[in-house]
Amino acid sequence: MPDGSASTEERTFNTGIEARSSLSVKEIEWSLVPFVRLAYNVLEELHDTGTPFNIDDVAERVRKRMANPAAIQAVDCRATMWRSEVATPGKGYKKYFKINPMPPKSVQTSDRVDSLLEYLQSMALKFKEEGRENTFSSYICTRNSIGKFLAGNDICLHDIDRAFVEKYAQWLLDQGAAPSTQSFYLRTLRATLNHAGEKGIIAIDSEMFLGLNTKANYDRKDKEANLPDRRTLLRIATIDLAKDAKLDLARDMFMFAFYCRGMELTDILGLTTDNIHNGILTYRRRGKGLEKNIVLDTQARRIIAKYRQKEGSDLFPLRKMYEGQLITSIKFKVALWLREIGRLMGLNTLSFGMNIAIWQRLVAQVEPTELLGQ
C-alpha cells in the first residue's frame, strides 16, 4: 500500500477434488497437500529470481502447472525443506511438511561471542553450512525457545549455572511443553554447553543437568501401555465390518501385516502377486532393504484370496481405488480408517505401525518350551 501498510489478496484455485458436503475435511486433507506444495514451489522459484513479483504472477504459474496432471503427480511433498523465509503453510498443514525455520536476527546485547543466544545461532549456521538441516533446525528452535524465556535478553555462557537450567526447565513445564519437548530443548542446551566447554570457553559442569528430563526415549513404556492386548487384537480380527468396505479393508491389511510377523504400510502397498511363490511371501523392507521370507499362514492366505483382483497384480486394491493419487495420500486414508476402528474398539488410538509392536510383544511373551510343544 502507498502508506506502507500491508494488504491481503486472495486467489482461488480449483483442484478438481470432489467431496460430499458432509465429508470431513480430514478425509481429503492429504489429497490437497500436493497442491499446497505446488503453490509453494512456484513461490520459491519466483523468490529465488530476486526480481519483484505479485500474486497474479504466482496465480498464473500455478494454474499452468495444475492444467498438467503429470505436474501434480511429480510433486514430492517431502523431498526438500519448506523455507520459512519464502512462505509458511497454514497451521493445519504444517504437520505435512518439513519446515526449515528462518534464522532469527542477531540479538544485539553484547559484542562477546560467548553469549548463549549468539553461540546457539553460530552453531546452527555452522550446521546449515555443513548441510545438516535437521540439526540446524534443532538449534534454531532451541535458540528461539530460550530467547522467549529470557524475554529478549541474552546471558553470558559463564553465567549459566544449575539454577538457570532449573528455571528454564520449570518455565518449559509452565508453558505446557510435553515431556518430549522439554527433553529436546534441555538436551540441545546441554550439547551446546558441552561444545563451549570443549572449546575452552567455559568449564564443563557434569552435574548441571543431573536429575532433569534429558532422556530421548522417555515415553517407550507409555507407548507399550497403549498397545492393544491379545484379546483386543482378536476382537479387531473378528469384528463384522461388512457394512463399511473401507474399514473392512483397513482391518484386513492391519491383520495381514500382523500375520506376516509385522509389516509397514508402505511395504504392503507395494506387494503384488509376484511377491508370493509356493505360499511364501518374499519382499524387501523399506529403508534398509533387508529381504524377508514369510510362510503365509491360513489367515493371511484367506485375506489375499478375499482381495484377489481380476485385473492388476496388487495384493490389495488401494492403488486401483485411488488411481492417480500420491501414496502418501492413500496412507493417510488408511490411518483415518484405522483410527475409526480403534474408536469402535474403545482404544485411544490405533495406528498401522502398532501391528509390528504387537507381534514383537506377543512373541516375547511366549516361552521357548511352548514353541517346541514341551
Side-chain angles (χ1 to χ4, degrees):
M1 300 287 286
D3 61 358
S5 62
S7 64
T8 301
E9 292 186 67
E10 296 183 359
R11 292 292 185 277
T12 300
F13 300 98
N14 181 10
T15 63
I17 298 175
E18 298 181 358
R20 301 187 304 271
S21 59
S22 61
L23 188 64
S24 168
V25 173
K26 290 290 183 182
E27 284 280 353
I28 63 171
E29 199 170 57
W30 247 117
S31 301
L32 297 173
V33 170
F35 296 93
V36 176
R37 180 67 203 212
L38 185 147
Y40 167 79
N41 289 347
V42 169
L43 276 169
E44 186 177 57
E45 292 169 6
L46 292 170
H47 173 274
D48 290 347
T49 63
T51 57
F53 64 92
N54 57 35
I55 192 169
D56 292 313
D57 299 322
V58 177
E60 182 181 2
R61 289 201 184 192
V62 170
R63 287 196 178 98
K64 285 182 178 179
R65 295 192 186 182
M66 287 177 59
N68 179 9
I72 297 294
Q73 290 300 308
V75 173
D76 187 347
C77 298
R78 299 183 183 273
T80 56
M81 301 292 286
W82 183 296
R83 293 160 51 193
S84 58
E85 74 271 22
V86 175
T88 55
K91 184 177 180 181
Y93 281 86
K94 284 188 176 180
K95 58 188 174 185
Y96 298 123
F97 299 102
K98 190 175 182 182
I99 309 296
N100 183 0
M102 181 171 55
K105 294 181 180 179
S106 176
V107 178
Q108 302 297 326
T109 57
S110 172
D111 292 333
R112 296 175 301 182
V113 296
D114 60 351
S115 63
L116 177 58
L117 297 185
E118 292 288 345
Y119 200 79
L120 277 164
Q121 184 168 332
S122 66
M123 288 187 67
L125 294 177
K126 179 177 179 294
F127 290 129
K128 185 174 180 63
E129 291 173 359
E130 295 174 353
R132 299 167 62 180
E133 297 287 354
N134 289 341
T135 310
F136 159 75
S137 298
S138 297
Y139 277 76
I140 287 298
C141 289
T142 302
R143 184 201 184 283
N144 292 342
S145 172
I146 295 177
K148 292 179 181 178
F149 167 66
L150 293 173
N153 299 310
D154 204 343
I155 183 174
C156 180
L157 289 171
H158 291 282
D159 296 332
I160 297 176
D161 54 14
R162 170 79 182 190
F164 172 86
V165 175
E166 288 180 341
K167 288 180 180 178
Y168 177 52
Q170 184 60 48
W171 179 82
L172 289 171
L173 189 63
D174 294 341
Q175 295 298 306
S180 58
T181 304
Q182 299 170 34
S183 173
F184 166 77
Y185 286 134
L186 291 175
R187 284 183 284 117
T188 307
L189 175 59
R190 182 177 62 184
T192 301
L193 297 178
N194 286 340
H195 185 274
E198 293 170 359
K199 294 294 183 180
I201 299 175
I202 60 173
I204 297 178
D205 183 353
S206 60
E207 298 185 354
M208 188 177 293
F209 291 82
L210 190 64
L212 297 177
N213 178 18
T214 55
K215 293 183 179 180
N217 296 319
Y218 76 96
D219 62 347
R220 181 173 299 170
K221 290 183 179 179
D222 292 337
K223 289 181 178 179
E224 291 180 353
N226 288 327
L227 290 177
D229 57 19
R230 183 178 178 277
R231 182 175 298 178
T232 302
L233 185 64
L234 184 59
R235 288 174 55 214
I236 293 173
T238 57
I239 184 175
D240 184 3
L241 296 172
K243 293 183 179 180
D244 193 321
K246 293 178 180 179
L247 297 190
D248 196 32
L249 173 59
R251 184 270 309 279
D252 287 341
M253 293 177 68
F254 181 87
M255 294 308 304
F256 177 83
F258 172 79
Y259 296 139
C260 292
R261 318 302 190 258
M263 290 182 67
E264 293 188 18
L265 180 55
T266 300
D267 292 329
I268 286 188
L269 289 175
L271 293 179
T272 70
T273 54
D274 292 336
N275 292 101
I276 301 176
H277 296 282
N278 299 322
I280 298 177
L281 173 68
T282 301
Y283 73 100
R284 290 191 178 276
R285 294 187 62 180
R286 180 182 67 117
K288 295 183 179 180
L290 298 176
E291 184 174 282
K292 302 281 287 185
N293 295 285
I294 308 296
V295 177
L296 297 174
D297 69 2
T298 303
Q299 292 300 324
R301 293 197 301 271
R302 181 189 62 79
I303 292 174
I304 291 174
K306 179 178 178 179
Y307 294 99
R308 184 173 292 120
Q309 304 176 60
K310 295 181 180 179
E311 297 181 3
S313 60
D314 288 354
L315 291 191
F316 296 97
L318 274 169
R319 292 197 293 188
K320 184 178 180 181
M321 290 168 58
Y322 299 102
E323 187 175 358
Q325 292 196 22
L326 297 174
I327 290 296
T328 46
S329 177
I330 296 174
K331 290 170 64 177
F332 187 70
K333 295 177 191 298
V334 176
L336 288 174
W337 301 338
L338 277 177
R339 193 180 305 165
E340 176 62 17
I341 295 172
R343 188 188 66 79
L344 294 175
M345 295 291 103
L347 301 172
N348 292 329
T349 184
L350 181 65
S351 62
F352 206 89
M354 283 183 173
N355 79 79
I356 302 174
I358 296 171
W359 168 262
Q360 293 173 342
R361 187 177 68 175
L362 291 180
V363 168
Q365 294 173 351
V366 178
E367 294 289 341
T369 52
E370 293 183 50
L371 296 175
L372 297 175
Q374 295 178 324

